Amino acid sequence: MKRVFSGVKPTGHLTLGNYLGALRRWAEVDQHRADALFCVVDLHALTVDHDPARVRRLSRQAATLLLAAGLDPRSCTVFVQSHVDEHARLSYLLECVATDGEMRRMVQYREKSARERERGGSVRLSLLTYPVLMAADILAYGTDEVPVGDDQTQHVELTRDLAVRFNQRYGHTFVVPRATHPPVAARVMNLQTPTSKMGKSDDSGPGIVYLLDEPEAVRKKVMRAVTDSGREVVYDREERPGLANLLEILAACTGGDPEALAGAYGSYGALKKDTADAVVEVLRPVQARHRELAADPVEVERVLRDGAEKARAMARPVVDRAYRAIGLLAPAAEAAPDPVPTNAAR
């Protein structure tokens, strides 16, 4: 079977975009067709100012939601990144292969560092180097495919480049992975700013549907979604991004086609109502299962502990091989205990 790896970052509450763009496909498709690993990448949450207690709380919530979305520990491996040391071990080796220019070309680093400079501040070094840690997350497991949203494709391309470069310089060590994308709603946009992604790190609540939002909150947000000028309901991502976003969300929730759905509506109001109802129904079983799991934290902890053990067993041989390939001296074997003399002095 092919090996699949992907993860979620606990920098905010998971959103409808996370579910439609990633989690649902992981549960319905990826965990059944491949040897799949899904990870809460908590080390990535440390690249910005953060509250330690909140990171821990969101990490647990994210892990619980992965299970609530349908990931089955009997079919896949679910774990927390920081519980497996091999991620950090491999990250440094890959930093020794990556270049400063590659890091500074990453879109997220350029955007976030520019915003911070405008405020007279500077970003953490880890924000510059975190794409290398992401590469380590992927390469440590011999990953073949990485299911990601469109905005993460650049990071998978960097991972491929680093794997090829390492293999060429030091001998074949890593599988070279590729990015895969769901066919619809790969990138759900903010309901109030439909040219921006519905990101969990963005606290502008009215444009974001969170997985644990109450049904009435969901309906209110969708009904207040920004649409475009004109009255005709058409699917045009460039000229009518607000309508396109609603049509893609409805299509992802119902299994329809955005263009075909557009022809079925004569008004924005009817489209919004149906979209709101569809979102509520999609989230209903996830929220119900989350309530059950949240009431049994010991079970979630067991799943994460077992998942980390499985992940560690997969990653350690790969990372040890990379350490040998790049030229590091293997640790000396533990000294054997002194033998017990056969004729002890009396």
Side-chain angles (χ1 to χ4, degrees):
M1 296 178 72
K2 291 182 178 180
R3 182 161 289 172
V4 167
F5 177 94
S6 199
V8 294
K9 185 166 57 174
T11 51
H13 300 287
L14 296 184
T15 71
L16 178 67
N18 297 127
Y19 182 69
L20 295 181
L23 272 62
R24 186 173 65 172
R25 181 176 174 83
W26 297 354
E28 294 180 353
V29 179
D30 292 326
Q31 71 171 335
H32 302 296
R33 70 176 180 86
D35 181 9
L37 300 99
F38 301 106
C39 181
V40 178
V41 288
D42 54 343
L43 294 176
H44 290 290
L46 310 185
T47 60
V48 295
D49 289 341
H50 63 276
D51 172 20
R54 185 171 188 265
V55 170
R56 284 190 291 270
R57 185 171 64 253
L58 290 175
S59 296
R60 177 180 292 278
Q61 184 186 88
T64 306
L65 279 168
L66 289 180
L67 300 175
L71 293 185
D72 186 345
R74 296 170 297 183
S75 301
C76 64
T77 304
V78 180
F79 66 105
V80 175
Q81 177 191 33
S82 63
H83 295 177
V84 180
D85 293 344
E86 278 64 32
H87 292 252
R89 289 181 61 208
L90 182 55
S91 182
Y92 180 72
L93 295 196
L94 296 179
E95 284 186 15
C96 297
V97 176
T99 68
D100 176 75
E102 286 174 317
M103 297 299 98
R104 296 185 187 279
R105 285 195 294 272
M106 294 290 107
V107 171
Q108 292 191 30
Y109 172 76
R110 295 207 321 264
E111 292 177 349
K112 291 182 179 180
S113 60
R115 287 197 297 268
E116 195 61 34
R117 283 196 301 270
E118 290 175 358
R119 293 195 289 260
S122 62
V123 297
R124 299 182 180 189
L125 177 62
S126 56
L127 183 66
L128 177 66
T129 60
Y130 96 89
V132 177
L133 176 57
M134 181 175 173
D137 299 337
I138 297 165
L139 297 179
Y141 297 100
T143 302
D144 298 292
E145 296 181 2
V146 188
V148 292
D150 293 340
D151 59 321
Q152 293 295 323
T153 300
Q154 184 185 35
H155 292 119
V156 180
E157 289 304 312
L158 173 69
T159 301
R160 290 171 55 85
D161 292 342
L162 296 179
V164 169
R165 191 176 306 153
F166 192 103
N167 290 346
Q168 290 174 341
R169 290 180 181 177
Y170 306 115
H172 184 76
T173 305
F174 299 118
V175 173
V176 180
R178 67 184 183 91
T180 59
H181 307 282
V184 178
R187 196 177 189 191
V188 177
M189 311 306 279
N190 189 296
L191 295 174
Q192 292 298 312
T193 314
T195 55
S196 300
K197 186 180 73 166
M198 186 182 285
K200 60 182 177 296
S201 301
D202 181 359
D203 290 330
S204 58
I208 304 172
V209 174
Y210 296 104
L211 294 189
L212 298 180
D213 274 348
E214 294 291 334
E216 285 312 306
V218 172
R219 289 192 173 90
K220 184 179 293 186
K221 289 177 180 180
V222 175
M223 294 304 294
R224 293 179 176 177
V226 168
T227 49
D228 312 285
S229 59
R231 296 182 178 180
E232 186 181 5
V233 178
V234 295
Y235 179 68
D236 186 334
R237 261 202 149 184
E238 296 300 320
E239 299 297 326
R240 312 285 287 278
L243 277 177
N245 190 35
L246 289 171
L247 288 165
E248 289 193 355
I249 291 171
L250 179 59
C253 290
T254 61
D257 175 77
E259 290 192 41
L261 286 170
Y265 290 95
S267 70
Y268 295 170
L271 171 62
K272 287 183 175 182
K273 181 181 182 303
D274 283 359
T275 302
D277 290 342
V279 172
V280 168
E281 289 307 310
V282 160
L283 296 185
R284 192 184 303 281
V286 177
Q287 294 178 350
R289 179 59 177 151
H290 177 269
R291 286 192 293 271
E292 294 175 1
L293 290 166
D296 189 9
V298 173
E299 173 61 13
V300 176
E301 289 176 3
R302 183 194 65 78
V303 169
L304 296 179
R305 182 177 62 252
D306 293 350
E309 290 178 2
K310 288 174 60 179
R312 197 176 300 115
M314 285 185 265
R316 184 165 293 167
V318 176
V319 177
D320 286 349
R321 186 164 67 245
Y323 267 58
R324 292 193 299 271
I326 206 170
L328 297 177
L329 188 66
E334 292 184 10
D338 293 334
V340 177
T342 53
N343 295 310
R346 295 183 179 179

